[in-house]
């Protein structure tokens, strides 16, 4: 009835419950990990337990967001996505939108709105709020939110031991909702705890006790208790509690202050297995919680940084339809240990001398012309004979039909390694040898590309591979992204 519709409209506008919610989730953790014992051994400090996730040399916050988004959109119609919001403190460009590149790599519609949200580790939840507002206002139906960071800590520092790399993604929408948004409470603050200026390579931070007591504990505590008062709930009303972690000890201290049970309610902050992933950290913890969530579970989710966003969530039966994800568990199980020497190569923390210099030429014109197949990994399928060519051509190489080519997305296809060669002489990468490969793609098509996330000693012909979006070359201030093949992570 008209009265019911009016009541529903007012109910949503008050923020007590939103018609939009989480439809799907995804995560990404780089293959490589470095043990904290390795760091302690390097600098002569204590050999602490645990490890941190380290992005490969050809990964950044943009490529990791693509990985998490692909995981999130598994089984989803990508053409139904109306917007992409990308949150990070480490965008590859300081003046050039990254979300537009991610959208192209994901093969989203050209009219999907794209936005970068930078400069705060709370960016992921800020992006989620903006997406929810757009959906509830009716200007979008489905919005993808990604969060990723690849911060470079100063060597031989507490931050070097603490920071890790990773990404998370959430698809928000107004139908087929797996997680309802029952309420939100937000606070903004100009508190200075960790910051980085335009000209800085490394992060700055203030005195530890001040940062934790006045910043982390007080702000998160105030935000969470504010949600309790606003919605008349208490700690016992939640099956799982997910909130940003400064470190393990203070994370536990906050739980005790607020009355949460550390053993049964509080989500593992993942600090001992991947480290603090900045903008992605809280969202990755939420993804981990959703992997185990059951219909009816109520989850508290709190993100911190320049304020607080606190969400009250309710899991629905729809969660069972989005289980096929690598998310956090499967990525944690797939790893390769990295030495500190390799790490400083990957992060360019020293000046290196290679026998052959890396290419120093880039063409924005060529990149724009080839964007559909280079960024979107589109092949051309002949309507006459069905063969696929990469890159697409006007004339089919098999049947010579002209202008009978339709584009097909290949980035989400698997393949097999037809052949490869290891080039040990051309040291143009921080991780020699350069493995040049020919990949046969399932369903048709053959691509020449390089392998990443690989152990040259374990490569075999016909091994299964998949595609990963990576930064393959940088010159003249231009980052050139393309799809590399890698052994399938299982």
């Amino acid at each position: 009835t008209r009265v019911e519709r009016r009541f529903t409209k007012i109910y949503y506008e008050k923020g007590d419950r939103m018609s939009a919610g989480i439809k799907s989730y995804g995560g990404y953790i780089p293959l490589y990990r470095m043990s904290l014992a390795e760091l302690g051994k390097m600098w002569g400090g204590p050999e602490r337990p645990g490890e941190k996730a380290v992005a490969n040399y050809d990964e950044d916050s943009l490529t990791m967001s693509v990985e998490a988004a692909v995981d999130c959109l598994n089984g989803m119609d990508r053409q139904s996505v109306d917007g992409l919001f990308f949150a990070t403190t480490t965008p590859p460009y300081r003046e050039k939108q990254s979300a537009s590149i991610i959208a192209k790599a994901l093969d989203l519609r050209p009219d999907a709105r794209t936005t970068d949200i930078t400069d705060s580790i709370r960016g992921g939840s800020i992006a989620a709020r903006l997406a929810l507002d757009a959906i509830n206002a009716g200007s979008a139906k489905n919005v993808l939110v990604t969060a990723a960071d690849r911060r470079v800590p100063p060597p031989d520092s507490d931050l070097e031991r603490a920071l890790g790399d990773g990404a998370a993604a959430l698809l928000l929408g107004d139908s087929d909702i797996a997680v309802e948004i029952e309420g939100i409470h937000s606070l903004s603050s100009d508190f200075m705890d960790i910051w980085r200026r335009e000209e800085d390579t490394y992060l700055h931070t203030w005195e530890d006790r001040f940062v934790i007591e006045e910043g982390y504990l007080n702000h998160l505590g105030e935000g969470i208790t504010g949600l309790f008062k606003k919605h008349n709930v208490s700690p016992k009303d939640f099956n799982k509690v997910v909130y940003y972690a400064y470190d393990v000890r203070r994370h536990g201290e906050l739980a005790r202050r607020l009355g949460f049970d550390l053993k049964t309610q509080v989500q593992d902050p993942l600090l001992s297995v991947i480290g603090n992933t900045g903008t992605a950290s809280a969202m990755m913890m939420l993804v981990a919680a959703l992997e185990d969530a059951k219909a009816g579970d109520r989850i508290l989710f709190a993100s911190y940084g320049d304020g607080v966003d606190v969400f009250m969530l309710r899991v629905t039966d729809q969660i069972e339809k989005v289980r096929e994800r690598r998310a956090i568990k499967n990525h944690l199980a797939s790893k390769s240990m990295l030495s500190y020497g390799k790490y400083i190569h990957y992060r360019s923390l020293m000046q290196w001398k290679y026998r052959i210099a890396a290419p120093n030429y880039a063409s924005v014109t060529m990149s724009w012309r080839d964007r559909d197949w280079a960024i979107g990994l589109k092949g051309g399928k002949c309507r006459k004979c069905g063969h696929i060519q990469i890159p697409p051509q006007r004339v089919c190489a098999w049947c010579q039909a002209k202008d009978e080519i339709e584009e097909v997305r290949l980035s989400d296809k698997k393949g097999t390694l037809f052949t490869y060669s290891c080039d040990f002489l051309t040291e143009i990468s921080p991780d020699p040898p350069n493995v040049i490969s020919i990949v046969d793609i399932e369903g048709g098509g053959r691509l020449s590309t390089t392998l990443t996330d690989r152990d040259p000693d374990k490569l075999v012909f016909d091994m299964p591979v998949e595609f990963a979006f990576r930064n393959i070359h940088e010159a003249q201030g231009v980052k050139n992204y393309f799809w590399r093949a890698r052994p399938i992570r299982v």
Side-chain angles (χ1 to χ4, degrees), residues 207-224:
E207 188 267 324
D208 201 46
R209 186 175 60 177
F210 172 76
V211 165
I212 293 162
E213 291 291 339
E214 293 296 325
Y216 175 75
L217 294 175
N218 282 355
H219 282 73
L220 263 175
E222 183 180 351
I224 292 172

Side-chain angles (χ1 to χ4, degrees), residues 253-400:
E253 181 179 341
L254 183 60
R256 287 186 288 271
R257 283 192 183 190
L258 295 173
F260 295 120
D261 189 312
L262 262 175
K263 293 183 178 180
T264 62
Q265 281 183 294
V266 179
Q267 176 64 34
D268 179 1
L270 305 173
L271 296 180
S272 64
V273 287
I274 60 173
N276 184 316
T277 56
T279 308
S281 186
M283 273 181 56
M284 292 178 75
M285 293 166 61
L286 176 60
V287 169
L290 293 178
E291 286 184 287
D292 295 325
K294 304 183 300 294
D297 283 355
R298 179 178 272 174
I299 299 174
L300 184 143
F301 168 58
S303 179
Y304 170 78
D306 303 289
V308 182
D309 290 321
V310 189
F311 296 72
M312 186 164 64
L313 311 175
R314 174 84 71 174
V315 181
T316 75
D317 293 336
Q318 186 69 22
I319 195 75
E320 298 301 328
K321 297 182 180 179
V322 292
R323 294 295 192 193
E324 296 299 318
R325 302 288 183 270
R326 287 184 179 173
I328 302 301
K329 284 184 179 178
N330 289 321
H331 278 115
L332 281 176
S334 171
K335 66 179 181 179
S336 180
M337 301 309 294
L338 192 71
S339 69
Y340 192 79
K342 280 286 188 183
Y343 169 75
I344 59 176
H345 269 284
Y346 287 3
R347 291 296 177 272
S348 298
L349 295 177
M350 296 178 65
Q351 187 172 355
W352 308 100
K353 180 181 179 181
Y354 294 112
R355 290 195 292 269
I356 299 179
N360 60 3
Y361 174 77
S363 173
V364 172
T365 307
M366 290 176 62
S367 297
W368 173 252
R369 183 187 65 201
D370 296 335
R371 66 192 184 280
D372 287 339
W373 83 271
I375 303 298
L377 198 57
K378 296 286 188 70
K381 184 176 183 178
C382 180
R383 296 187 182 94
K384 297 291 186 180
C385 68
H387 282 95
I388 296 176
Q389 301 175 88
I390 314 168
Q393 307 292 327
R394 289 187 63 190
V395 179
C396 177
W398 280 265
C399 70
Q400 283 72 59

Side-chain angles (χ1 to χ4, degrees), residues 422-441:
C422 296
D423 187 347
F424 290 88
L425 299 178
T426 306
E427 292 188 357
I428 61 173
S429 85
D431 191 22
N434 192 32
V435 183
I436 304 164
S437 67
I438 303 294
V439 174
D440 283 336
I441 304 171

Side-chain angles (χ1 to χ4, degrees), residues 102-231:
I102 299 171
K104 187 65 177 178
L106 296 174
D107 191 29
L108 303 187
R109 301 194 321 265
D111 65 342
R113 67 187 68 177
T114 55
T115 303
D116 287 1
I117 297 169
T118 61
D119 305 332
S120 172
I121 59 171
R122 189 165 54 99
S125 60
I126 293 171
R129 288 216 61 173
L130 294 175
L132 291 169
D133 288 345
I135 296 166
N136 285 308
S139 63
K141 292 182 69 65
N142 299 291
V143 179
L144 181 64
V145 172
T146 70
D149 257 330
R150 199 210 77 164
R151 297 180 288 178
V152 181
D156 192 18
S157 68
D158 288 338
L159 287 175
E160 187 178 46
R161 290 178 280 275
L163 302 189
D165 306 321
L170 299 174
L171 180 64
L172 305 166
D174 61 358
S175 63
D176 300 322
I177 294 172
V179 184
E180 295 176 343
I181 314 292
E182 292 191 316
I184 303 178
H185 182 62
S186 295
L187 300 172
S188 179
S189 174
D190 63 345
F191 186 78
M192 295 279 287
D193 48 5
I194 296 178
W195 68 95
R196 182 165 53 89
R197 301 170 300 169
E198 180 79 10
E199 62 270 24
D200 290 334
T201 300
Y202 302 129
L203 295 167
H204 295 278
T205 185
W206 201 248
E207 188 267 324
D208 201 46
R209 186 175 60 177
F210 172 76
V211 165
I212 293 162
E213 291 291 339
E214 293 296 325
Y216 175 75
L217 294 175
N218 282 355
H219 282 73
L220 263 175
E222 183 180 351
I224 292 172
T225 54
L227 180 117
F228 289 168
K229 294 175 183 176
K230 183 177 179 179
H231 296 282

